[in-house]
Amino acid sequence: MKKYVIANEERVFKTPRMEGVKRTLTATDGSDEFTHTIIKSEPSIATIVRSEDGKIAFIKQLRSTVNQYFLEIPAGLRNPGEESMLDVSRREVREETGMLLKDVRLVVNGPSLLDPSKSDEDFGVAEATACGQKARCLDENERISSDIIWIDEADVFVRLREQLSEGKPFYDGLFLSGHTVYALLAYNFLH
């Protein structure tokens, strides 16, 4: 296998959430060079929030890339200055649902690059138990229903199997997003 080094990076765009970069890689022996545009991102984390009685919390979130709602678990990117992904987990769940958490722990200890052909986003998964409620505070570009849908954990994996194997919507005509599918599979496998 050839080894490559980054020869050049040129910013194509920058948003508060990510940066598009045209990256040129050169083989260390000089025999090859290519350019690829990628998205650079802060690490993110999705959190499986459980209730005391064994249910998992879901939200309905509009995804502007395809202009449709998905059923998801709370997730988001690390903000500048945040060091602990567990702190990111607590903040994101609070912002998107208003829920307070206890017993927060990492399920996936990375690295976990879901699509390294397009992005360097390292995607973590946490689990926690809901222990209180406050007002939520969405980011300006988030469109999330105020409903929290609680589904029994055993039923979650029956529905997930049906979505994956039969193409059935997961709940109320909605499908799970890819990051939610990954998080649930990791949780089921590692929990």
Side-chain angles (χ1 to χ4, degrees):
M1 264 188 312
K2 289 183 184 179
K3 294 196 184 273
Y4 290 82
V5 295
I6 298 170
N8 186 45
E9 279 192 351
E10 175 188 337
R11 181 185 291 164
V12 178
F13 68 86
K14 178 149 179 61
T15 73
R17 295 178 38 98
M18 64 191 74
E19 177 179 18
V21 174
K22 187 184 289 186
R23 179 178 281 174
T24 301
L25 294 129
T26 303
T28 55
D29 66 3
S31 67
D32 188 24
E33 181 177 278
F34 69 98
T35 301
H36 191 152
T37 302
I38 63 164
I39 296 171
K40 293 174 74 173
S41 174
E42 287 292 322
S44 64
I45 193 160
T47 304
I48 295 167
V49 180
R50 295 181 321 267
S51 64
E52 294 287 352
D53 63 351
K55 294 182 178 174
I56 295 176
F58 293 88
I59 56 177
K60 295 177 184 177
Q61 184 161 4
L62 178 69
R63 291 303 181 179
S64 60
T65 53
V66 291
N67 192 26
Q68 66 187 72
Y69 280 88
F70 287 87
L71 205 63
E72 300 185 342
I73 58 174
L77 297 171
R78 181 176 65 192
N79 286 337
E82 286 180 315
E83 292 184 28
S84 164
M85 290 309 288
L86 296 179
D87 289 340
V88 178
S89 170
R90 287 181 192 92
R91 177 186 50 78
E92 282 293 338
V93 170
R94 165 81 198 300
E95 286 177 0
E96 294 182 356
T97 69
M99 286 188 282
L100 303 176
L101 303 177
K102 67 178 183 179
D103 303 326
V104 184
R105 76 168 194 88
L106 288 177
V107 174
V108 173
N109 291 300
S112 184
L113 304 171
L114 295 187
D115 191 355
S117 70
K118 296 181 185 91
S119 174
D120 69 352
E121 181 181 356
D122 191 357
F123 190 82
V125 179
E127 66 174 314
T129 303
C131 66
Q133 189 74 32
K134 291 197 173 195
R136 63 187 192 142
C137 45
L138 300 177
D139 291 340
E140 68 179 80
N141 291 325
E142 289 181 311
R143 300 300 182 265
I144 300 173
S145 169
S146 61
D147 304 332
I148 297 173
I149 297 112
W150 292 96
I151 302 174
D152 183 74
E153 187 170 323
D155 193 33
V156 164
F157 294 102
V158 169
R159 290 170 185 252
L160 176 56
R161 178 182 296 277
E162 289 174 349
Q163 177 179 316
L164 294 174
S165 66
E166 301 171 32
K168 287 185 178 179
F170 183 82
Y171 175 87
D172 196 26
L174 299 176
F175 290 91
L176 295 177
S177 65
H179 77 267
T180 296
V181 169
Y182 170 77
L184 288 169
L185 291 173
Y187 169 80
N188 189 47
F189 184 69
L190 298 170
H191 181 72

